[in-house]
Amino acid sequence: MSRQAQPLRLRGLLRSRLGEWHLALFLGSCTLFAAISLLAISGWFISAAALAGLATTAAYGFDYFRPAALIRLCAIVRTGGRYAERLTSHHAALGLLKDLRISLFARVTARGHAALTRSTSTMHRLVADIDLLDFFPLRVVAPWFWASLLVLLLLGGCYLLAPVLSLAALPGLLLAWLILPLLAGRHAARLARADVSLAEQRRILLLDNLQLLTPLLLWQRWSVRQAVFDSEDHVFNQQRLRQQQLGSLIAAGQQLGLALSLLGLLWQGGLLVQAGELSLPLLLAAVLGLLGLTEVLLPLAQSFIALGLSQAARDRLNQLTRSPASRIEEGAAPLTELPSLSLKDLSARHGGALSGPQRVDLQLRAGEVLLLSGPSGCGKSTLLDVLAGEPLPFTGERLLNGEAYEHWQWRSVIGYLPQQLDIFDMTLAENLRLGQPEATEQQLWEVLEDVALADWVRGRPAQLSTTLGEYGAQVSGGQARRIALARLLLAQRPVLLLDEPFAGLDAATREQVLVTLLRRQAQGILVIVSHQSLALENAQRLQLQMSEA
């Protein structure tokens, strides 16, 4: 199995930005150690200074300057370290999310099922689920690393003061540090995994209702949809409440464990002070250091919820990007002949939509062009989704070379340019090679010429190394659409489905791109949805009408 085909693993997330994660963990450790040391040294300094003040002769010999300097140093390290840690960890997390988006998009498109990314449910996986994966390094690995390190350091410090102190603090610390979080962790992770599914259902239902607000009001169906959403919202809120209650119970148990450690420390420390084997300021420093662990241990109560969210996101993304060759297209035949595409009495509609294509019949052969038109909302994009193989329910027949799609390895045959584009914060060349990883620079320049972007690229200082920004923020909408089209052309799919490929283009550029498409698809099939009037005398035309709900 190739590296690209390897399933996503949580432990592999840290490898993406290993140096940055190491730096973030180190800075966080320094910050938390400085915060606890600030409490401990301050407690020792105040009590030692007070005792020295009671004894006049001792007051003259007491060193006030070095402890005060240490306190200032700890305060500076705590403040500066916190800022540096947040800056580093968030930079690493954002870089991780960028790497994940790029790699997952490449896996999806390389296997030829980019059309799967067009449904609301699947797009949520590729956006929201990827965002959940940074919970693992930020809210699982980092808190446990910091908590374990500082608990061991505190126990080691207590041991240096008196071995019996570390033994007295150990049972309560084990309860707060390991026993309670681990015992409740499996249940918390299970609740979090269920939360991901419920949150997606609630989100999709809300967005669908808002998108269809006007039609629902016109057809007097808003109250029904609102009642359905209220029911889903109630289930979701109850799930969140159970998570919060479990987190609160774990946190309360941790506080109890810290209280037991505190009592044990005071009990044994008091005996040592009475015996003259330990000074009162040092005992107070140990007590305050123990209390300072609260900030470190409490995040462990939420770490397993974050772990469950990350596990759910990982499993859903792995399911989405699982190899079609072994799962969907097992036993399917490769398409070696010129393609033909036909629909017979086909009707389809997205879930919650009020309209869609109805009883469509068409026949397309190699070298033919179909211009698809109709009013907004009539189902043009839905029909392209069906042709692209998106898993939405339909009736009728959808045939490729006279056979059902499943008979062929159709995912490498059909290319789809939807209205929503996928442009990444990489160079232009890297974005284009997502369609064809082995493409040479000459091929890149050729396809840029075909989409009327070569002159613009030559005028850029970095040319093919020009960065496009997240979601193509550094290029115009028309340029982003042509870059996505160029990437699709590099993939060389026999059937091209293009949804508004000329949006944002002037007449001359539109004509140049259209000529390119006709030339490149001379032996294939081209289906275009466009609001612009296209002068193609030999093209088939299909006009969709609004259907009743």
Side-chain angles (χ1 to χ4, degrees):
M1 182 179 291
S2 65
R3 182 178 178 182
Q4 189 181 30
Q6 291 291 335
L8 184 65
R9 300 182 186 278
L10 292 182
R11 62 175 176 267
L13 296 178
L14 295 175
R15 299 173 189 158
S16 174
R17 306 274 169 157
L18 190 59
E20 295 177 12
W21 289 121
H22 283 165
L23 180 58
L25 291 175
F26 171 75
L27 291 172
S29 301
C30 293
T31 302
L32 293 171
F33 180 76
I36 294 175
S37 298
L38 180 62
L39 282 175
I41 296 173
S42 298
W44 171 85
F45 179 59
I46 293 172
S47 57
L51 290 176
L54 295 176
T56 306
T57 56
Y60 288 105
F62 186 76
D63 185 357
Y64 293 91
F65 298 102
R66 279 183 288 186
L70 284 176
I71 291 173
R72 292 188 182 92
L73 176 62
C74 289
I76 293 172
V77 171
R78 181 188 62 177
T79 304
R82 176 69 68 190
Y83 176 79
E85 181 271 323
R86 291 293 172 87
L87 189 65
T88 304
S89 62
H90 283 76
H91 184 268
L94 292 174
L96 170 63
L97 295 180
K98 170 187 170 182
D99 296 340
L100 285 170
R101 289 191 182 102
I102 293 170
S103 63
L104 287 171
F105 179 86
R107 290 168 63 182
V108 169
T109 54
R111 295 187 172 102
H113 53 128
L116 292 178
T117 64
R118 301 277 70 84
S119 70
T120 305
S121 174
T122 310
M123 280 305 298
H124 183 233
R125 296 188 187 188
L126 286 175
V127 178
D129 286 353
I130 290 175
D131 291 341
L132 289 177
L133 291 176
D134 69 355
F135 282 16
F136 181 71
L138 285 176
R139 303 188 187 182
V140 180
V141 174
W144 276 97
F145 176 82
W146 293 330
S148 301
L149 177 64
L150 292 173
V151 166
L152 294 175
L153 286 176
L154 179 71
L155 289 174
C158 290
Y159 184 85
L160 291 177
L161 294 177
V164 70
L165 288 180
S166 60
L167 293 176
L170 182 60
L173 282 178
L174 285 177
L175 181 66
W177 167 37
L178 293 177
I179 297 175
L180 280 175
L182 292 177
L183 285 178
R186 180 173 296 181
H187 182 53
R190 186 166 58 250
L191 287 176
R193 287 194 293 269
D195 178 83
V196 172
S197 178
L198 291 174
E200 179 188 7
Q201 296 174 19
R202 175 176 175 269
R203 175 183 177 275
I204 292 174
L205 188 58
L206 174 63
L207 293 179
D208 285 345
N209 285 346
L210 293 177
Q211 186 177 8
L212 299 171
L213 176 60
T214 300
L216 288 171
L217 290 173
L218 291 174
W219 291 94
Q220 298 181 358
R221 301 291 294 173
W222 174 255
S223 59
V224 176
R225 296 293 294 265
Q226 186 179 22
V228 173
F229 175 77
D230 289 342
S231 176
E232 291 285 343
D233 186 59
H234 176 72
V235 173
F236 174 77
N237 288 329
Q238 289 297 114
Q239 175 74 14
R240 281 290 172 91
L241 180 61
R242 285 192 290 270
Q243 284 189 42
Q244 293 172 1
Q245 290 173 340
L246 179 61
S248 298
L249 285 175
I250 299 175
Q254 289 179 304
Q255 296 285 14
L256 177 61
L258 287 174
L260 292 176
S261 290
L262 180 61
L263 290 176
L265 203 61
L266 290 174
W267 172 46
Q268 291 296 329
L271 295 177
L272 292 173
V273 170
Q274 289 180 358
E277 299 178 11
L278 181 69
S279 68
L280 184 60
L282 288 177
L283 175 60
L284 183 59
V287 168
L288 291 177
L290 178 64
L291 293 176
L293 286 180
T294 303
E295 180 184 358
V296 180
L297 294 177
L298 287 183
L300 301 183
Q302 301 295 325
S303 66
F304 283 96
I305 293 176
L307 177 62
L309 295 174
S310 297
Q311 289 173 334
R314 174 205 61 193
D315 294 341
R316 287 151 54 92
L317 289 170
N318 281 334
Q319 181 184 14
L320 177 66
T321 57
R322 197 178 304 159
S323 174
S326 61
R327 181 169 58 94
I328 297 178
E329 295 185 349
E330 184 176 358
L335 186 66
T336 57
E337 303 173 354
L338 293 177
S340 66
L341 194 63
S342 61
L343 300 179
K344 297 181 180 179
D345 198 31
L346 185 137
S347 300
R349 184 177 299 180
H350 279 288
L354 297 181
S355 184
Q358 296 292 317
R359 306 180 69 88
V360 175
D361 292 289
L362 66 87
Q363 178 72 43
L364 292 171
R365 294 180 176 84
E368 294 185 337
V369 179
L370 173 67
L371 299 181
L372 188 58
S373 60
S376 296
C378 68
K380 300 186 296 296
S381 295
T382 301
L383 183 56
L384 285 189
D385 290 341
V386 174
L387 291 173
E390 177 153 355
L392 75 159
F394 68 90
T395 59
E397 291 186 318
R398 177 187 61 183
L399 305 176
L400 184 63
N401 282 31
E403 301 284 350
Y405 273 34
E406 291 73 21
H407 178 79
W408 307 102
Q409 296 176 8
W410 56 271
R411 299 181 184 278
S412 59
V413 174
I414 297 174
Y416 185 19
L417 179 73
Q419 292 190 30
Q420 183 175 354
L421 303 175
D422 300 295
I423 301 294
F424 298 96
D425 188 16
M426 302 188 298
T427 67
L428 173 61
E430 290 169 335
N431 269 280
L432 292 175
R433 286 193 173 108
L434 289 174
Q436 176 54 264
E438 292 80 22
T440 64
E441 283 199 10
Q442 181 180 351
Q443 289 175 307
L444 298 186
W445 282 111
E446 288 176 356
V447 77
L448 289 172
E449 289 280 3
D450 287 342
V451 297
L453 279 177
D455 290 341
W456 172 78
V457 176
R458 292 190 184 97
R460 306 286 295 182
Q463 296 196 357
L464 290 176
S465 298
T466 299
T467 56
L468 304 183
E470 190 72 17
Y471 305 111
Q474 297 182 22
V475 296
S476 68
Q479 289 169 335
R481 181 156 291 277
R482 280 181 284 166
I483 290 170
L485 177 59
R487 181 171 60 202
L488 186 59
L489 293 177
L490 281 171
Q492 297 181 343
R493 301 288 167 81
V495 178
L496 283 187
L497 311 173
L498 309 179
D499 198 346
E500 298 293 346
F502 309 117
L505 304 185
D506 56 57
T509 304
R510 182 168 66 245
E511 182 66 23
Q512 180 179 346
V513 174
L514 179 58
V515 170
T516 292
L517 292 173
L518 295 175
R519 174 174 55 81
R520 281 182 171 263
Q521 289 300 107
Q523 299 298 317
I525 292 174
L526 181 61
V527 179
I528 300 176
V529 172
S530 178
H531 284 97
Q532 288 94 349
S533 177
L534 303 178
L536 294 174
E537 296 181 358
N538 298 324
Q540 293 191 44
R541 298 178 185 270
L542 178 61
Q543 176 84 22
L544 297 184
Q545 303 296 331
M546 294 293 293
S547 59
E548 295 185 0

